[in-house]
Structures are given as C-alpha cells and as structure tokens.
Amino acid sequence: MDLNQRASGVLLHPTSLPGPHGCGDLGPAAYHFVDWLAGAGQRLWQLLPTNPVGPGNSPYQSVSAFAGSELMVALEPLVERGWLPPAAAPAFPAHEADWPQVVPWRMQRLREAAAGFFARATPGERDAFDAWCAREAGWLDDYALFMAIDRAHRARGGKGGWWAWDAPLAAREPAALAAVARELADEAAFWRFAQWCFDTQWAALHAYARERGVAVMGDLPIFVAHHSADCWAQPDLYFLDEHHQPTVVAGVPPDYFSATGQRWGNPLYRWERMAADGFAWWTARVRRALALADVFRIDHFRGFAGYWEIPAGCPTAVDGRWVPGPGAALFEAIEAALGRLPIVAEDLGVITPDVVALRERFGLPGMRVLQFAFSDDAGNRFLPHHYEPSTFVYTGTHDNDTAVGWWQRCSPRERAFAAAYLGCGDGADVHWAMIRAASTSVANWVVFPLQDVLGLDGRHRMNLPGTVEGNWRWRFDWAMVGPEPGRQLGAITAASGRAPLVHLALPEHPAQGHRP
C-alpha cells in the first residue's frame, strides 16, 4: 500500500455492521460494505483493534495482542459447511450491540460449530485446521491454554485475573502446564477452532477488499492488558512484582482536559529486556498485524519516545513521571526483520520534538483531527491550511463525538470560527463541510467515520473516553445509508483528486470538435 498516494477512506469497526446475530461480523454485510466503499471511490477501510474485547467491551483492553475477536466470526459459513445447525437468532436490537445478550449467545453457537467440526469435518478440513494451528503456534498455544484455564477458574467461582489462578499455573511451572493442557485439551481445541474461523474468514474478506481496490487499516494499541495471554506467557517483559502485580502502570499526565490525567492501568514494558532479544515479541506482533491488514495505526505513538509512568498504588495519574521509551532502536529492529513498515503514527495529545523526530526518521505519517481545529485561532495545527502531505486527516476518531454532535455541543466561539472557516453557515451540513475541507487539503489520506458520512448526531458516537458503560455498541442498518451519502462522498473524493472522475457522475464528454 502506497502511503504517499492521494486517497480517501472510511472508519467503521466490523461490530457496527448490520446483521441478524447481535453485532456486526465478517459475514455478508462486510462484503456489502466493501462494495459500498468501492462504489463511493474509497480506497481504505479503517478498523479498530480486531482483538477479543476486554473490560467494558473495549477492543483496547484485550486478553491477547495476537488473537482475533471470536465475536466477529460469521455464523453463516459455519452453517454452510455443515458444522452448525441452522437456528433463529433472538430479536437483538438493530442499532446497538447488546453485549450482555450477544456474547453468551454467539459463543454458544461457536461451541456448537466446534462440536460439529470435530465430529464431521472432512480430512481436507482437518488438515487445513492442523496446518494453520502449527503455523500460528507461537501465539496460539498460549492463548488457547490461557482461555481454557481462565474459563475453568471462573467455573469454580474463581475471581481476578491469571495471577489468582492456582500458584503453579500462574507461575507457569512446566509440570503444572503439561497436566492442565491434558486436562483441558478439548477446551483449548475450541479456542483454536474459533481462532481458525476468524483467520480464514478474515483472509477471505481481506482478499475480496483488495480485489476491489480497498485496502484495510488495522489498529495496534501500544500496551497490553494485565489480564492477557501475553502478560501471563512472558511476565518477565513487564514491571511485575513477586505476586505478578504491576509495580508501575501506563497513562497520561494531567492536562487541559483532565486535572488528574488518565490512569489506564496497563502494565509497562521492561524495554531493556525486550531489547536484549532484539525486540522479538514486538517483531512477532507487527508481523501478525501485517498478516491481517495492509497498513496499521499505532495508538499512543508518543509512548515510544517517552511514556508516563505511574506508581501502581496511585489512584490517578498525578504522581507519574516521564520515562524514555525504546526510541529508534525498536523500529530499526522491526524493519531489519520485516522491511519498511506501513505504519500511521497516532501523534495526538502533548507532542514533544523527540516524538516528531522519531516519526519523521522512519517516514511515518502522523494524524490530524479536524474537530480539534477551532479551539483557538488560525495558528491551530489541526486547521487544513497547516497540513502536510504525509498526514492522515480525520473529521473525528472513535473517541470523538460525531461531527454533527460536536457542532451541537461546541462553544459559541468554536461554532463561529468553524462556520467562517468551513463556510457551513448554520451548520446544517457541517459534516459535509468538514469532509470537503479535509478532502481538498494537501494531506495524502483522509478518513471519515461512517457516522459523519451519514450526518448522524452524538447519539451515534462509538466511545466516550473516561467512561466504561455504553461504549462500543453502535451499529447502523442499510436503511440509514441510502444512495445519497455514497454519491456525495464519491463526488467530493473525485473532485479533490482522490478517486477517478467517474465518481463525480459527470455527463459524458462531448464529441471531439463539438462546441456548445
């Protein structure tokens, strides 16, 4: 994928797709969405992390940095293969994912499909499964066993994370691991099967998108969750005490938006230990990311230059300190193993010169968010006249309100500035004004949340940072889309040189020599 081309894309997480099974997945609606993107002249589909979700159903607090979300496995192909008997789905809401209902129902259907596979799979299907398991064993074996042990632990009434398991298992004593692997072999096989389904379905969808000129952009959180297969499998790579508890955790310092900062709680890496083996874990993680996407965004890129270290006992981020990150050494090691990296650096927030230098050294595009542009004056770096070609521009991200919602809630001063700059008057079409301003800028790439293309208000936002409940639920249906948003997006994309002129729906050129 050429990050220097001039193109446009849409941000939509697969769980937001329509479908009868409670949340969007990798089934028919995903293929329809790819067709819609191509028809609107879009060359990029940007996703949120596709890992299994964690607390609050967040994809940014996953139990694995390598696994795919079992909830995205489409059920239709499993029925077609004869592994899963047909069954009517409950009457799930159409416009949101009701996770407390969706998760147990979908997981039960996956378990039925696994039982069908292991009972009725053809020799060719079994060979394909076994070959995939062998190829992905480097992360898959730990993940499958982690999930199997954790489920058994909770079935006995156990609470807490992997550190609360029986001590020999938490400490990964070889004899204990061998014994539990035998005991829970069937359960671990289920998790391998679910991951195989995700990978095979994703590979087919990814190939379909490529055939239609649509690249896929993934999202790589910088940190991993404490309760994760990654942390359990290699605890020596994190700042943990003898009880497997973090001694320091991740976050960001107090700023204009929060007097106490943000305490994320992820364990921090022991970068010197990662460097000792040539950053092998990070290289494997990036290799996996590149197997699933054509390009990916690294969240909180500034943390590689310097990160905010918070004592684990501090309830807020106030008492943290800046600590140097791995810097160029990390990216040099990964590039030595994998070649030049198609990475977009999420360089929002407080950005210091060392962060800019690191990004520029490796030629990584940065990000700009148009909603941030109107809080002061014409010197604001998020205004389009300050953009540079090596930039990914957004009207908003998954953490922002929608463009319409932002307009409705911003200050009178911001609204007046935006109206004058964007030429959107009373804001009736502020979303199109923002899309047009981003598209006509010099930035190589522009990406718009689907909510902004559809002109939806703040009731349709994906996430409200600093809150736990009610996030990551939004879904749309095709009736909300209709023909006009795609036509208008395609016209703006073509007019700004990001798609062929055919997307302008212009009349045919007059015959040669004809004069009106």
Side-chain angles (χ1 to χ4, degrees):
M1 177 179 169
D2 182 7
L3 294 181
N4 294 315
Q5 67 179 311
R6 187 170 174 82
S8 177
V10 171
L11 168 62
L12 180 82
H13 199 46
T15 59
S16 294
L17 288 162
H21 299 140
C23 69
D25 55 35
L26 307 181
Y31 289 81
H32 189 173
F33 185 65
V34 169
D35 291 339
W36 183 88
L37 288 171
Q42 305 305 292
R43 299 184 189 177
L44 185 74
W45 179 4
Q46 182 173 338
L47 319 170
L48 304 182
T50 55
N51 311 98
V53 298
N57 303 301
S58 171
Y60 290 92
Q61 288 287 344
S62 180
V63 292
S64 173
F66 293 80
S69 173
E70 292 86 3
L71 300 176
M72 293 185 196
V73 174
L75 302 181
E76 293 91 345
L78 309 183
V79 174
E80 293 168 4
R81 301 291 285 272
W83 306 332
L84 180 65
F92 291 120
H95 297 139
E96 68 172 8
D98 185 353
W99 295 117
Q101 291 188 57
V102 170
V103 173
W105 184 82
R106 289 194 74 119
M107 294 305 294
Q108 179 56 37
R109 292 292 280 160
L110 266 182
R111 289 186 178 277
E112 293 173 21
F117 170 82
F118 289 116
R120 297 186 294 277
T122 67
E125 290 168 340
R126 288 301 298 259
D127 288 346
F129 171 69
D130 291 342
W132 180 84
C133 288
R135 187 170 65 249
E136 304 296 333
W139 64 269
L140 180 65
D141 288 351
D142 281 326
Y143 175 72
L145 189 57
F146 176 90
M147 297 301 289
I149 296 172
D150 198 51
R151 187 168 187 269
H153 171 75
R154 296 181 190 285
R156 296 193 301 267
K159 297 181 180 180
W162 60 267
W163 51 90
W165 297 348
D166 293 342
L169 295 178
R172 294 182 61 86
E173 294 180 6
L177 290 182
V180 79
R182 291 190 297 270
E183 177 188 349
L184 301 178
D186 289 346
E187 179 66 14
F190 161 72
W191 292 102
R192 290 187 177 89
F193 169 79
Q195 286 301 306
W196 177 59
C197 290
F198 175 91
D199 254 33
T200 53
Q201 290 185 11
W202 179 255
L205 177 61
H206 192 185
Y208 185 86
R210 281 177 167 171
E211 290 169 1
R212 282 147 187 81
V214 177
V216 172
M217 182 172 173
D219 194 339
L220 199 73
I222 182 174
F223 298 117
V224 303
H226 184 199
H227 181 60
S228 65
D230 312 282
C231 197
W232 172 66
Q234 295 181 274
D236 58 307
L237 298 182
Y238 306 87
F239 282 102
L240 305 179
D241 63 19
E242 66 274 17
H243 303 294
H244 314 297
Q245 296 302 300
T247 56
V248 288
V249 297
V252 290
D255 57 18
Y256 172 81
F257 299 100
S258 173
T260 58
Q262 297 179 43
R263 184 189 185 280
W264 298 335
N266 307 75
L268 290 171
Y269 300 116
R270 289 185 178 270
W271 286 113
E272 77 287 354
R273 293 185 180 178
M274 289 187 157
D277 67 359
F279 299 100
W281 182 86
W282 266 98
T283 299
R285 188 183 185 194
V286 171
R287 181 182 290 110
R288 171 70 174 161
L290 292 175
L292 298 174
D294 302 291
V295 60
F296 62 91
R297 184 191 86 135
I298 290 191
D299 193 42
H300 195 59
F301 179 81
R302 75 137 300 117
F304 296 109
Y307 58 91
W308 191 246
E309 178 188 272
I310 306 167
C314 183
T316 71
V318 170
D319 294 329
R321 62 170 186 152
W322 287 109
V323 177
L330 171 65
F331 295 97
E332 289 172 348
I334 299 173
E335 284 197 347
L338 304 178
R340 190 167 179 83
L341 300 174
I343 291 175
V344 176
E346 187 272 288
D347 56 347
L348 306 175
V350 179
I351 301 302
T352 48
D354 56 338
V355 181
V356 176
L358 181 63
R359 180 180 64 77
E360 292 181 344
R361 175 169 175 175
F362 293 93
L364 309 181
M367 288 176 54
R368 297 292 182 271
V369 177
L370 194 49
Q371 284 188 29
F372 297 160
F374 306 104
S375 58
D376 41 57
D377 58 27
N380 189 305
R381 73 188 187 102
F382 290 97
L383 286 166
H385 63 267
H386 291 300
Y387 296 163
E388 299 173 348
S390 183
T391 306
F392 271 62
V393 175
Y394 298 78
T395 49
T397 73
H398 63 279
D399 283 334
N400 291 102
D401 204 340
T402 67
V404 172
W406 171 83
W407 176 269
Q408 293 171 342
R409 292 172 174 81
C410 68
S411 70
R413 184 184 181 282
E414 287 176 302
R415 192 175 297 119
F417 187 7
Y421 192 97
L422 301 171
C424 59
D426 62 1
D429 288 323
V430 65
H431 56 297
W432 287 123
M434 291 180 116
I435 288 171
R436 188 174 293 106
S439 296
T440 55
S441 74
V442 300
N444 286 334
W445 285 88
V446 292
V447 182
F448 313 116
L450 183 64
Q451 294 97 315
D452 287 354
V453 177
L454 302 184
L456 301 176
D457 63 24
R459 293 172 294 177
H460 299 268
R461 73 182 295 168
M462 190 63 163
N463 179 51
L464 181 61
T467 65
V468 176
E469 300 299 326
N471 296 317
W472 320 109
R473 298 166 65 99
W474 180 74
R475 300 177 69 199
F476 74 98
D477 63 38
W478 294 115
M480 296 165 63
V481 180
E484 185 55 30
R487 282 200 297 263
Q488 190 155 347
L489 180 62
I492 293 172
T493 302
S496 57
R498 300 177 184 277
L501 285 176
V502 66
H503 291 285
L504 272 170
L506 294 172
E508 293 184 5
H509 291 294
Q512 187 173 1
H514 174 76
R515 296 290 185 270

